[in-house]
Amino acid sequence: FERPDFPLKFSGASPLTGAVPYAQCYGGHQFGTWAGQLGDGRAITLGEILNSKSERWELQLKGAGKTPYSRFADGLAVLRSSIREFLCSEAMHFLGIPTTRALCLVTTGKLVTRDMFYDGNPKEEPGAIVCRVAESFLRFGSFQIHASKGEEDLGIVSTLADYAIRHHFLHIENISKSETLSFSTGDNGQSVVDLTSNKYAAWVVEIAERTASLVARWQGVGFTHGVLNTDNMSILGLTIDYGPFGFLDAFDPSYTPNTTDLPGRRYCFANQPDICLWNITQFASTLMAAHLISDKEASYAVERYGTKFMDEYQAIITQKLGLQKYNKQLVNKLLNNLAVDKVDYTNFFRSLSNIKADPGIPEGELLVPLKAVLLDIGKERKEAWASWLVASGISDEERKASMDSVNPKYVLRNYLCQSAIDAAEIGDFGEVRRLLKVMERPYDEQPGMEKYARLPPAWAYRPGVCMLSCSS
């Protein structure tokens, strides 16, 4: 950061030595409809670097200017959206959720005109560029675009798949026939899929499972992506593209942070598992169109998604509740209670670890540890919550330590992001740095930082804070 040429390198003004920058061409389904060619309209890969561990990292600038796929746009990004991506990709990483990372953020000193709400009221905002990194930025849409062009481009799908497997799924490239990765499918078990005989089938199954695992973790921390188009789906199972995102505050299964997604709420919190299943189905269809997998293999990948998601989600929610095994009835009743009383999702699970298992505690005192999250509820609702609580069979101390290790105290709530943005827009980046430090230790108590775990203030629910448009 001290080098004088640093901002030149990481704004795209001066190319890295030996690098050949490029923009990626991809398409995608947007809100369930094929949208054709989409991007990259404002992301430019500087190059790929092999580090000392022989890990491959792609350096990508977002907002550095026009690319061949910018169409009529300027390819630029504003400080507001750049800070959101910078902070949230790092916050997700420290929550233990697979994600692209943010290396640095550079302000450009130029103003960019944006119409945040698409309402005919554009305004000038400070420009910025994020350098984000991942082992690969290949998306489902990177393959879809070529399959959509017909037979003449199907070879590109195959070439791109070979590249992805060779560089990012080497264990699949090296699958031995002796491993016998064959599985029975269907109710009667008569149909068999042998993943050792077709590396592309093994590959799509792994992508389906990685995606299922990712979504289960989103649901676990109450994260809503906001724009789960197929062009925003990583083949590595990473959270990619932070536009209108949000963590659940008051629990609402239909919550969407995306104004473009109203009133249908296709990408709301509760729909994320099914939407990603739909996206996996589209990706598998692309590989079928390129004659890389059979319909039976595609169906098996879809089946594996469902199984993996349920296994992972049930394991996560069991851990969050401090239980020894999954209890479907208990979980369903909890989700209903949370929705009825609009309980803060993050603070509820964090507070739950303070409940004591002592059967001698009077019923009137049982809910005291939840007092800060069960606000303004009457006698009937208190009774509903008291009857929901069950003994876990683990000592209070052990259960609290276990639950606190999986239930974060701090998540990147949209209003915290906005406070940091407001300060940064007048030149003060102190709050961005403080917020980053807090989000690096989301499961720790962090004495003195309690304000970052507070419920959102009233202003947090205004448009532009709790909800944003797709381009934000």
Side-chain angles (χ1 to χ4, degrees):
F1 284 105
E2 300 302 321
R3 284 175 48 165
D5 60 345
F6 185 91
L8 296 175
K9 301 286 188 191
F10 288 94
S11 64
S14 175
L16 296 173
T17 305
V20 181
Y22 64 87
Q24 195 185 132
C25 177
Y26 56 78
H29 281 87
Q30 294 190 322
F31 298 94
T33 303
W34 176 247
Q37 186 174 300
L38 296 168
D40 270 319
R42 60 173 175 174
I44 298 167
T45 291
L46 293 180
E48 293 178 2
I49 288 178
L50 286 175
N51 68 10
S52 57
K53 299 176 187 173
S54 295
E55 295 169 331
R56 179 180 299 272
W57 290 98
E58 185 176 329
L59 305 178
Q60 188 178 86
L61 299 184
K62 188 171 181 178
K66 287 187 176 182
T67 80
Y69 312 111
S70 296
R71 298 189 293 278
F72 302 108
D74 56 22
L76 303 175
V78 295
L79 183 60
R80 164 176 51 84
S81 60
S82 301
I83 286 176
R84 286 172 59 80
E85 172 133 11
F86 178 81
L87 287 175
C88 199
S89 51
E90 290 303 285
M92 292 288 273
H93 171 75
F94 288 104
L95 283 168
I97 297 172
T99 178
T100 60
R101 299 290 302 276
L103 181 66
C104 62
L105 187 154
V106 178
T107 55
T108 62
K110 295 178 181 176
L111 294 174
V112 178
T113 303
R114 286 290 179 270
D115 185 350
M116 189 199 295
F117 298 111
Y118 302 138
D119 61 0
N121 293 298
K123 69 170 189 173
E124 290 188 328
E125 300 184 50
I129 298 166
V130 172
C131 181
R132 56 185 185 180
V133 296
E135 291 180 56
S136 173
F137 285 93
L138 284 171
R139 306 143 182 269
F140 292 5
S142 307
F143 299 81
Q144 286 182 290
I145 187 64
H146 302 297
S148 73
K149 293 179 179 177
E151 289 294 327
E152 71 268 20
D153 275 11
L154 290 182
I156 299 178
V157 178
S158 175
T159 301
L160 197 54
D162 288 340
Y163 171 86
I165 293 169
R166 186 168 67 251
H167 286 288
H168 306 293
F169 297 83
L170 197 56
H171 55 287
I172 289 177
E173 184 85 0
N174 298 332
I175 281 180
S176 162
K177 292 285 183 186
S178 64
E179 291 178 50
T180 57
L181 288 172
S182 57
F183 302 91
S184 298
T185 62
D187 294 335
N188 55 16
Q190 298 300 309
S191 204
V192 174
V193 171
D194 179 8
L195 299 184
T196 53
S197 62
N198 182 1
K199 68 178 181 181
Y200 303 112
W203 181 56
V204 71
V205 166
E206 180 162 337
I207 291 173
E209 291 190 342
R210 287 193 190 196
T211 304
S213 176
L214 175 69
V215 183
R217 294 186 201 191
W218 288 349
Q219 303 304 105
V221 297
F223 175 78
T224 309
H225 184 285
V227 202
L228 285 177
N229 296 326
T230 55
D231 54 297
N232 291 339
M233 299 292 295
S234 158
I235 64 162
L236 298 184
L238 306 174
T239 313
I240 187 171
D241 281 346
Y242 292 91
F245 64 79
F247 287 85
L248 287 175
D249 295 320
F251 184 74
D252 176 6
S254 69
Y255 167 66
T256 174
N258 186 354
T259 56
T260 317
D261 200 16
L262 298 174
R265 296 180 186 266
R266 175 180 173 84
Y267 298 144
C268 72
F269 175 73
N271 283 358
Q272 291 185 135
D274 285 343
I275 287 298
C276 287
L277 174 61
W278 191 89
N279 289 342
I280 282 288
T281 304
Q282 303 311 310
F283 181 63
S285 297
T286 294
L287 300 187
M288 282 173 58
H291 315 299
L292 299 180
I293 62 173
S294 67
D295 58 349
K296 191 191 301 180
E297 290 163 339
S299 296
Y300 181 68
V302 169
E303 182 185 317
R304 283 302 307 156
Y305 172 93
T307 305
K308 181 72 170 177
F309 173 78
M310 287 310 301
D311 287 349
E312 294 258 341
Y313 178 73
Q314 289 179 8
I316 288 168
I317 207 77
T318 300
Q319 280 184 295
K320 287 178 75 68
L321 290 171
L323 300 175
Q324 291 172 304
K325 64 179 183 180
Y326 182 71
N327 183 326
K328 183 179 180 180
Q329 186 178 356
L330 191 79
V331 171
N332 287 345
K333 193 173 178 184
L334 166 64
L335 296 176
N336 181 65
N337 280 349
L338 290 172
V340 168
D341 294 315
K342 297 181 169 52
V343 182
D344 185 85
Y345 190 83
T346 301
N347 289 353
F348 170 80
F349 280 104
R350 187 70 179 194
S351 301
L352 192 62
S353 67
N354 296 319
I355 294 281
K356 303 297 183 202
D358 183 357
I361 297 176
E363 190 172 295
E365 296 174 24
L366 192 61
L367 296 176
V368 168
L370 298 177
K371 188 177 179 181
V373 289
L374 298 182
L375 303 169
D376 305 322
I377 63 171
K379 183 170 179 287
E380 186 181 324
R381 293 304 305 152
K382 284 179 180 174
E383 288 172 357
W385 278 104
S387 70
W388 172 78
L389 293 170
V390 296
S392 69
I394 306 171
S395 74
D396 288 341
E397 294 75 19
E398 186 185 346
R399 178 171 49 80
K400 178 171 173 56
S402 171
M403 290 174 71
D404 286 354
S405 72
V406 295
N407 290 316
K409 179 168 179 135
Y410 304 97
V411 293
L412 190 69
R413 298 173 187 267
N414 272 328
Y415 87 91
L416 295 175
C417 236
Q418 191 59 47
S419 295
I421 290 165
D422 289 344
E425 287 186 333
I426 55 173
D428 178 6
F429 284 84
E431 188 61 14
V432 173
R433 295 190 182 96
R434 278 189 291 276
L435 205 43
L436 183 60
K437 280 290 179 196
V438 171
M439 296 304 151
E440 285 176 352
R441 294 164 49 211
Y443 300 100
D444 296 350
E445 282 296 324
Q446 301 192 52
M449 295 296 161
E450 291 83 2
K451 70 174 186 177
Y452 292 102
R454 284 183 195 150
L455 294 175
W459 63 263
Y461 296 99
R462 70 172 192 246
V465 179
C466 65
M467 295 187 79
L468 295 156
S469 65
C470 271
S471 66
S472 302

